[in-house]
PDB file of all heavy atoms in Angstrom:
ATOM      1  N   ASP A 264      98.911  69.697  84.374  1.00 84.00           N
ATOM      2  CA  ASP A 264     100.000  70.425  83.719  1.00 84.00           C
ATOM      3  C   ASP A 264     100.909  71.187  84.667  1.00 84.00           C
ATOM      4  O   ASP A 264     101.767  71.953  84.229  1.00 84.00           O
ATOM      5  CB  ASP A 264      99.387  71.362  82.656  1.00 84.00           C
ATOM      6  CG  ASP A 264      98.326  72.268  83.249  1.00 84.00           C
ATOM      7  OD1 ASP A 264      98.089  72.165  84.477  1.00 84.00           O
ATOM      8  OD2 ASP A 264      97.746  73.059  82.492  1.00 84.00           O
ATOM      9  N   SER A 304     105.406  62.650 116.159  1.00 94.00           N
ATOM     10  CA  SER A 304     105.090  61.978 114.917  1.00 94.00           C
ATOM     11  C   SER A 304     106.230  62.076 113.908  1.00 94.00           C
ATOM     12  O   SER A 304     106.204  61.453 112.868  1.00 94.00           O
ATOM     13  CB  SER A 304     103.831  62.571 114.271  1.00 94.00           C
ATOM     14  OG  SER A 304     102.759  62.458 115.178  1.00 94.00           O
ATOM     15  N   SER A 777      97.324 151.822  90.263  1.00 91.00           N
ATOM     16  CA  SER A 777      98.267 152.954  90.213  1.00 91.00           C
ATOM     17  C   SER A 777      97.845 154.059  89.228  1.00 91.00           C
ATOM     18  O   SER A 777      98.663 154.610  88.502  1.00 91.00           O
ATOM     19  CB  SER A 777      99.676 152.475  89.782  1.00 91.00           C
ATOM     20  OG  SER A 777     100.095 151.484  90.671  1.00 91.00           O
ATOM     21  N   GLU A 780      94.123 159.247  87.934  1.00 93.00           N
ATOM     22  CA  GLU A 780      92.694 159.561  87.802  1.00 93.00           C
ATOM     23  C   GLU A 780      92.115 158.685  86.712  1.00 93.00           C
ATOM     24  O   GLU A 780      92.843 158.103  85.915  1.00 93.00           O
ATOM     25  CB  GLU A 780      92.504 161.046  87.449  1.00 93.00           C
ATOM     26  CG  GLU A 780      93.205 161.406  86.150  1.00 93.00           C
ATOM     27  CD  GLU A 780      92.962 162.842  85.707  1.00 93.00           C
ATOM     28  OE1 GLU A 780      91.930 163.388  86.095  1.00 93.00           O
ATOM     29  OE2 GLU A 780      93.816 163.395  85.022  1.00 93.00           O
ATOM     30  N   SER A 796      97.767 151.708  74.932  1.00 89.00           N
ATOM     31  CA  SER A 796      96.357 151.333  74.831  1.00 89.00           C
ATOM     32  C   SER A 796      96.195 149.858  75.063  1.00 89.00           C
ATOM     33  O   SER A 796      97.089 149.045  74.817  1.00 89.00           O
ATOM     34  CB  SER A 796      95.829 151.706  73.475  1.00 89.00           C
ATOM     35  OG  SER A 796      96.585 151.015  72.496  1.00 89.00           O
TER      36      SER A 796
END
Side-chain angles (χ1 to χ4, degrees):
Chain A
D264 53 0
S304 301
S777 304
E780 58 177 334
S796 60

